Amino acid sequence: MYDRRAFLGAGVAGAVFAALSPRLAFAKAETDKRFVFIIQRGAADGLGIVAPVGDPAFAGARGDLALDFASAPKLDALFALHPAMARVQALYGAKQALFAHAVASPYRDRSHFDGQNVLESGGTGAYQLKDGWMNRLLGVLPPTEAKAIAVSATVPLALRGPRDVSSYAPSNLPQASDDLLQRVSMLYAGDSQLHALWSEAMGTRALTGDLAAGGGANAAATGALAARLMAPANGARIAMIETGGWDTHTGQRGRLSTQLKGLDAMIGALQSGLGPLWADTMVLVATEFGRTVAVNGTGGTDHGTASSAMLLGGAVRGGRVLADWPGLAATALFEGRDLRPTLQLDAFIGGAVAGHFGVEPAKAMAALFPSSKGTAAVAGLV
């Protein structure tokens, strides 16, 4: 169901809260909730994931990228899901998947590093905040639920802060070349100039990692690992998984399809691994910004603005797409090139977390996104 009216009537965070929880709960009560954030590093093309096939300008604006949706399953009269995401499509049919579109963080300058910093810190500008919104989330949860882990070799910014967070990665993931790179990193650690340059180079390298390795088996294995870390009664309740490879400047059609198959396998493995706990689980999938509407000369897309985001899990009242759709006509585009943002990503996340953990939306926004634009981020659209 394309649910624009819910946003316009109830506000972003309030509408998402209502989509997740049938009743308000303001007290800190212990629950059995699990929450996973899957970050899509590299700027995932939301138009290529949840496509507005009902928009009259879609086919002409997207060219060959529209061909993947010729026989794609429809979500509603306006949107269709990429056919590579069969498991997610099934979740949508079971009303366990919800999509938000034309969504963006406050960041507008199209730099991966700055955009990811805004997404993970929860600030309104790059490097404004030193800790991450997921670490701040731990402060509003009961102590028994404030256990978080990064399925990563290091703790990502979203989970960094004063509250303790663990990280875990299988010992067989790093290759010999990565070991060499780590040694070089240690060598440069004492040189402020070289360390900064090396860190930037390693950040760029991380963007080239993808979900396609091993035919998607690595993605499924990562999802299964996260489920094993979260399934025990004393295990983590909150987890973050990093994915790369979404920077599709060239050959996007094939590359994005492979990426989405990996993401779909990861989500399927999470669901299978959590078993009955899936009923109390919410998975957020989001990226730092979207991509251009038009296809470039190499069959790809360039850095854009608005994208799409997903909420998945048995705790989600899904089966809908939430959007105040701006349209793809040339006159409707942001700066004449990008999907125009009409939904704040921070308000979407704040409403989702509030509904999932039974926290008052205003309190969740104040804790997770303290520099957001007051009540506007909670109560209304951009």
Side-chain angles (χ1 to χ4, degrees):
M1 178 178 66
Y2 169 45
D3 203 344
R4 177 178 183 268
R5 186 172 299 174
F7 270 129
L8 295 179
V12 178
V16 177
F17 184 96
L20 291 164
S21 177
R23 60 185 181 278
L24 297 178
F26 302 129
K28 284 188 176 181
E30 293 188 11
T31 69
D32 205 29
K33 303 289 188 181
R34 263 72 172 175
F35 172 56
V36 182
F37 174 33
I38 301 175
I39 187 171
Q40 297 169 294
R41 297 196 186 277
D45 181 23
L47 292 170
I49 300 172
V50 180
V53 294
D55 188 314
F58 172 71
R62 297 295 278 177
D64 286 350
L65 298 184
L67 297 177
D68 284 326
F69 296 92
S71 58
K74 292 281 190 71
L75 298 173
D76 54 35
L78 180 57
F79 295 104
L81 184 65
H82 195 287
M85 304 201 75
R87 294 175 180 85
V88 172
Q89 179 71 38
L91 289 174
Y92 185 85
K95 300 190 183 304
Q96 295 183 11
L98 178 152
F99 304 99
H101 221 318
V103 61
S105 80
Y107 180 74
R108 295 290 180 270
D109 292 331
R110 304 184 182 97
S111 161
H112 289 303
F113 305 105
D114 291 355
Q116 289 174 26
N117 183 276
V118 171
L119 171 60
E120 294 188 74
S121 69
T124 56
Y127 312 105
Q128 180 185 73
L129 301 176
K130 302 301 182 183
D131 57 350
W133 65 264
M134 293 183 74
N135 194 278
R136 295 193 293 274
L137 169 62
L138 300 178
V140 302
L141 300 180
T144 55
E145 293 185 29
K147 298 178 182 178
I149 192 164
V151 185
S152 170
T154 59
V155 176
L157 173 60
L159 278 170
R160 292 181 204 162
R163 295 168 181 88
D164 290 338
V165 171
S166 303
S167 64
Y168 181 85
S171 59
N172 63 337
L173 284 184
Q175 304 296 320
S177 58
D178 289 334
D179 180 66
L180 175 61
L181 293 173
Q182 185 178 12
R183 292 173 186 273
V184 175
S185 297
M186 294 172 64
L187 182 66
Y188 286 167
D191 188 308
S192 59
Q193 183 176 6
L194 288 176
H195 179 69
L197 292 172
W198 184 257
S199 296
E200 183 174 353
M202 289 301 95
T204 302
R205 180 178 181 270
L207 291 176
T208 66
D210 56 41
L211 292 169
N218 285 0
T222 300
L225 170 61
R228 288 197 301 272
L229 294 170
M230 302 182 77
N234 62 346
R237 298 299 184 89
I238 294 171
M240 180 173 173
I241 301 175
E242 297 180 285
T243 68
W246 301 99
D247 198 20
T248 50
H249 285 285
T250 62
Q252 174 171 308
R253 191 176 174 196
R255 290 176 59 192
L256 183 61
S257 178
T258 302
Q259 284 287 109
L260 292 174
K261 286 179 183 176
L263 178 61
D264 196 60
M266 178 182 290
I267 293 165
L270 266 172
Q271 180 184 12
S272 298
L274 287 172
L277 294 173
W278 180 255
D280 287 320
T281 296
M282 180 177 74
V283 180
L284 166 71
V285 183
T287 192
E288 68 262 32
F289 48 76
R291 308 194 71 81
T292 52
V293 173
V295 184
N296 62 28
T298 59
T301 53
D302 299 318
H303 298 177
T305 306
S307 189
S308 61
M310 310 178 198
L311 292 177
L312 312 158
V316 177
R317 293 174 59 198
R320 65 176 80 184
V321 181
L322 301 180
D324 181 16
W325 188 245
L328 296 182
T331 55
L333 301 184
F334 179 72
E335 297 185 349
R337 50 172 276 168
D338 300 339
L339 176 63
R340 182 177 297 278
T342 58
L343 167 60
Q344 291 175 271
L345 183 57
D346 53 7
F348 178 72
I349 294 172
V353 169
H356 188 56
F357 287 108
V359 179
E360 184 181 1
K363 181 178 179 179
M365 286 298 297
L368 275 59
F369 305 102
S371 56
S372 194
K373 300 292 184 180
T375 57
V378 176
L381 292 172
V382 176

